[in-house]
Structure formats: structure tokens, C-alpha cells
Amino acid sequence: MTQDLINGSTDMARPVDVVIMAAGKGTRMKSRLPKVLHLLAGRALVRHVLDTASQLSARRVVVITGHGATEVEAELSISTGDTAGFDLRFVRQEPQLGTGHAVQQALPALADDGIVVVLSGDVPLTAADTLRRLIEACGGDKLALLTIDFADPTGYGRIVRQGDAVQAIVEQKDASAEQRAIREIYSGIMAVPAARLKAWLARLGNDNAQGEYYLTDIVKFAVADGVGVVAHKIADPVQVAGVNSPVQLAELERAFQLRQARQFMEQGVRLADPARFDVRGDLRCAQDVAIDVNCVFEGQVSLGEGVRIGANCVIANAAIAANAVIHPFTHIDGEQAGVTVGEGALVGPFARLRPGAQLGAEVHIGNFVEVKNSTLAKGAKANHLAYLGDATVGERVNYGAGSITANYDGAFKHRTVIEADVHVGSNCVLVAPVTLGAGGTVGGGSTITQDTPAGMLSVARGRQVSIANWQRPRK
């Protein structure tokens, strides 16, 4: 134990280390997937907690795993890059003998000079500002607990006070009738000097109704040692809400999405119904954006000024420029390559933009049109029932209904180039690689296998024949 902590010295410049408890099985989730990997707003529960740790400028994050340890560790190792700003470590709790036992496993990874913030991998929405205040309350020399008042505190550890001073946390199964009437509960989140934590954890026993090593027992050790125990009480239950069942997960999802909806509306975004709006990534909106009901935004999405999004759209990894209109039931998914929609473009309804689709200004993509890895220049139109894959389309091109680019030969992808002002008739097949010369016209029903000259009509189809006196077969 460091001498300055023993002497009660306060140093607000102490480094912060975060311990995340993520070893639980989550039996009530009734799932093979480890509980902390279930998704909230498109990200694993424990991923939200890691993101919060990053906002605290944590020096090190120690994740305690147990059930599904291999899956949890693999997921977090992949999704936590060098930009996280902290050193990520994993320790395992096997067997699982309580919360105190869990944190004991993390001790070898914790330096004595820090403040340890203990979080839970299934409590995803604690605000970073709340934790900063908790760390300030700790001050490097006190045990700080995050608490809240619940009308029904059943199942939670009760905060027992003497005056304003916290004397103990009593777990539900060990509480007396008088203690069970206490409404202030411990959230499971604390900030504590690392050196003190190590000394107190060494004194833990399991003489309780559960036969487990309770982390909360360190409160009585702090009191016995004359160390101040303070409570930072909040009023927002969402910040301490854990997930133990699909019902709780759904409730927290809706609470989270409603908060996001309110933030966007405060910024000026018009939402037809904030209860039917889902952001599962990073959505950025300029002025006068309007979004209809049942829209889902995933990954990185930006909406320019005056953009209108129709009902029932799913948009992922896309940049949509000013005054573009995305009509209802459109699906846009840029994945890694991204999708761009130019200023004043019209897309949908029932359109699909896939990775690499780049639409210029005033482009029209209509119902049941799919675009993949293709660039459409200003004013190009594909209004009905068409496919453009691996294509470069010039300005003012009109691409007919039922036409497709045959871009795949079974082994390789090939590109189609359609130069400016080309008119492609309905039900055409453009067999790549092929170039349609500027200003040319392709007759409806043509299968084009060779480059077409500029300014000419190109027709490639069987000659129409009418047979006289022909009779249909009869039964």
C-alpha cells in the first residue's frame, strides 16, 4: 500500500484504471450468447462500457471474463483498436464465487497509484460525466459509491447510513426487515484507491446467505479503517439499469433510443414519431432534416441540410447530401466502401444502394432499382426495375426499366461504361466489359456484347417473326 494513501492524501491527478465485471452467464437471457455480447443500439453491452472507459481517459481497462470468456475476449480484442487510448487486459474468474472474488482476479493487473472504477459489463448506459463526479468524490483517499433511490429496491444492496455517512451495504438476502425498507441502493459502481482496494479485498470472507465473497463488504472495512465512504447519488435510473433478460434489454433499448431522439429534435431534426426511430451507430444531421417513422440508421451516416427520409428506411454507412429525398422502404448499406448520395438526388421507394454506390447531384434511382459499386453522374436516371453493378454512368443517362449490367462472368467482375446522354431502352443486358458511346441509344430488348459507337442507335436482338395459320396446342 502506498504511504500517501495510508495517510489519506488526495491527488486529483491520479491515473484511472477501470475494472469491468463481465463473467456472468446471464441465465435469464435464455441464450447461448454471453450476456454482455447482446446488442444495445447495435453494439455489445460491454462495448458501451468500454467506450465510457475511453471517455474517462482510463490508463488501463481490465475485463473480468468467465462464462463465454473466449467469445467475449475475442470480440473485444477485435473491436478495440489502438485509438482506444487505454491498455486492455483480460482476467478470468473460474469458478465464480461472487463480486469480491471477481475483482480479486483483477488485482495483479492494477497498479497501486491509481483510482479504480468498478463497472459492470451489463450496465451499458452510465454517463461518463457521472463517473467523473464519482471519481472526484473519491478524491484518491475515499471510497465513493454510486447510489440511487428506487421506489421498489427489491434485489439490490441497501445503503445503510449513520447520519450522512455510509456505514455499510447490505445485500437483499442478508438484510433485516428494517434494512429492506431502505430505498437508497448501491448501483454496483464504485471508485476506490487501488492500494486500499487491494488491502480490503484480502480481508474478504464468505460468511453470508449466498456463501459468496461480496465486493460490498469492503465498505465495512473502510469504516473500520477510518476511511471516508461517500455516496454520489443520481436520479436517473437508466444510468444504472442492468440487463438480465430480453425484456430488460428491450426496455433499455427503447429508453436509449428515445433519449437519442430527443437530442436530435433539440438540434432541430424533425422526427415524425420519436418512439419509432433507431440509431445504431453515429448519425449526424444538418439543419432542417426530416425523418419519417420506423427508420434505422447504422454505422456512420450523415444527412445534409434539408434531407428528407421517408418511412421504413434502413440506412447504413452513407453520406446523403443537401436536399436529397430518400423515399419510403429504401435500403442503403455502404458497409466498408460507403455510399454517397448527391445533392437533390431522389432515391426510392423500394430502392437498394449497396457498397460503392456513388450518386451525383440530381440523380434519380427509382423503385426496385439496385446499384452496387457504380458511379452515376449528375442527372442520370434509372427509374424502374433495374440493376447497375460495377458501372460508370455519365451525365443525363436514361437507363431503362428491366435493364441490367451483366458484370460477373463466374470468376471475375467487369466494368460497364455508359457515357453521357446515352439512352438505354427497357429490358437490355449490357455484358461487361463494354462501353456505350456518348449520345447513343440502345434499342429495347438488346443484349449488348460489344462497344457501341457514339450518337448511334444500337440494336442487338432477334428479328420479329409472325407465323400465319399457327394453332395453339389443344388438350
Side-chain angles (χ1 to χ4, degrees):
M1 185 181 299
T2 58
Q3 190 61 42
D4 57 343
L5 281 178
I6 293 175
N7 295 333
S9 173
T10 300
D11 181 0
M12 294 304 292
R14 289 185 186 279
V16 172
D17 296 316
V18 174
V19 172
I20 301 175
M21 293 190 286
K25 183 176 182 180
T27 303
R28 282 183 283 167
M29 294 301 293
K30 301 186 186 304
S31 172
R32 290 186 177 89
L33 186 69
K35 179 172 67 170
V36 296
L37 294 186
H38 283 265
L39 300 183
L40 176 79
R43 289 182 296 167
L45 295 171
V46 69
R47 177 75 257 178
H48 286 270
V49 184
L50 270 181
D51 290 345
T52 303
S54 181
Q55 293 178 58
L56 296 177
S57 300
R59 172 178 62 181
R60 176 170 294 171
V61 175
V62 183
V63 181
I64 305 165
T65 62
H67 177 74
T70 301
E71 294 172 81
V72 174
E73 292 169 12
E75 169 65 23
L76 295 183
S77 296
I78 293 171
S79 61
T80 305
D82 295 336
T83 58
F86 53 73
D87 175 28
L88 179 63
R89 302 284 182 92
F90 298 103
V91 297
R92 294 193 180 183
Q93 184 192 18
E94 295 173 344
Q96 294 171 27
L97 303 177
T99 54
H101 178 255
V103 179
Q104 284 175 342
Q105 313 314 304
L107 294 185
L110 298 173
D112 287 352
D113 63 337
I115 293 174
V116 177
V117 178
V118 179
L119 304 175
S120 295
D122 62 353
V123 180
L125 299 183
T126 311
D129 281 346
T130 295
L131 296 178
R132 291 188 190 101
R133 294 189 186 97
L134 185 70
I135 294 167
E136 289 173 3
C138 167
D141 64 341
K142 294 182 285 295
L143 170 58
L145 310 174
L146 187 65
T147 70
I148 189 170
D149 286 340
F150 278 167
D152 180 7
T154 302
Y156 293 92
R158 308 304 203 277
I159 298 295
V160 178
R161 292 177 179 264
Q162 186 174 19
D164 290 333
V166 176
Q167 294 296 304
I169 302 172
V170 181
E171 299 293 340
Q172 170 83 20
K173 292 186 178 182
D174 300 309
S176 66
E178 182 181 2
Q179 290 168 335
R180 291 187 183 191
I182 297 171
R183 293 177 55 197
E184 185 180 9
I185 64 94
Y186 170 56
S187 67
I189 296 171
M190 67 170 59
V192 54
R196 294 284 192 189
L197 177 64
K198 291 182 177 183
W200 293 331
L201 287 176
R203 294 157 62 181
L204 284 183
N206 65 344
D207 184 17
N208 52 62
Q210 294 282 82
E212 294 184 349
Y213 296 89
Y214 292 154
L215 178 61
T216 50
D217 281 348
I218 70 171
V219 174
K220 64 185 180 185
F221 300 148
V223 172
D225 291 347
V227 175
V229 182
V230 296
H232 175 57
K233 187 189 290 188
I234 61 173
D236 181 8
V238 170
Q239 291 198 45
V240 298
V243 173
N244 293 299
S245 71
V247 172
Q248 290 177 334
L249 180 60
E251 290 172 348
L252 201 56
E253 178 78 35
R254 291 273 47 90
F256 176 72
Q257 295 297 349
L258 186 58
R259 290 186 175 206
Q260 291 196 105
R262 286 174 177 163
Q263 290 174 2
F264 281 109
M265 290 187 292
E266 288 170 358
Q267 296 166 15
V269 178
R270 278 68 165 172
L271 299 180
D273 184 353
R276 290 182 286 171
F277 168 79
D278 286 79
V279 176
R280 302 170 187 170
D282 181 15
L283 173 63
R284 300 175 184 270
C285 297
Q287 194 170 28
D288 291 319
V289 168
I291 301 173
D292 211 330
V293 300
N294 297 329
C295 291
V296 178
F297 300 91
E298 301 177 343
Q300 303 292 318
V301 178
S302 64
L303 306 180
E305 184 172 343
V307 166
R308 287 185 289 145
I309 308 294
N312 303 297
C313 291
V314 177
I315 301 176
N317 299 303
I320 300 175
N323 300 312
V325 177
I326 310 299
H327 289 295
F329 294 97
T330 292
H331 184 197
I332 300 174
D333 189 358
E335 295 182 0
Q336 299 301 316
V339 165
T340 58
V341 177
E343 186 171 353
L346 305 178
V347 181
F350 298 99
R352 185 182 184 198
L353 304 183
R354 293 173 59 196
Q358 300 179 44
L359 312 186
E362 301 173 21
V363 166
H364 292 187
I365 299 296
N367 50 286
F368 302 104
V369 175
E370 178 181 347
V371 182
K372 189 269 302 180
N373 193 31
S374 296
T375 301
L376 282 75
K378 181 177 180 180
K381 297 179 181 179
N383 279 322
H384 317 281
L385 303 157
Y387 173 66
L388 282 160
D390 299 288
T392 300
V393 180
E395 294 185 354
R396 299 172 299 278
V397 165
N398 188 80
Y399 195 74
S403 293
I404 69 165
T405 56
N407 55 324
Y408 184 52
D409 63 8
F412 302 101
K413 299 288 183 69
H414 302 279
R415 199 153 193 89
T416 298
V417 177
I418 305 174
E419 295 180 346
D421 299 303
V422 167
H423 180 99
V424 178
S426 296
N427 296 310
C428 292
V429 179
L430 309 180
V431 182
V434 68
T435 297
L436 309 186
T441 299
V442 176
S446 294
T447 298
I448 301 298
T449 59
Q450 298 178 7
D451 295 352
T452 63
M456 293 188 181
L457 170 65
S458 299
V459 182
R461 60 187 182 220
R463 185 172 182 177
Q464 181 172 317
V465 176
S466 298
I467 301 174
N469 302 317
W470 178 81
Q471 298 290 326
R472 292 179 181 170
R474 296 181 180 178
K475 292 182 180 179

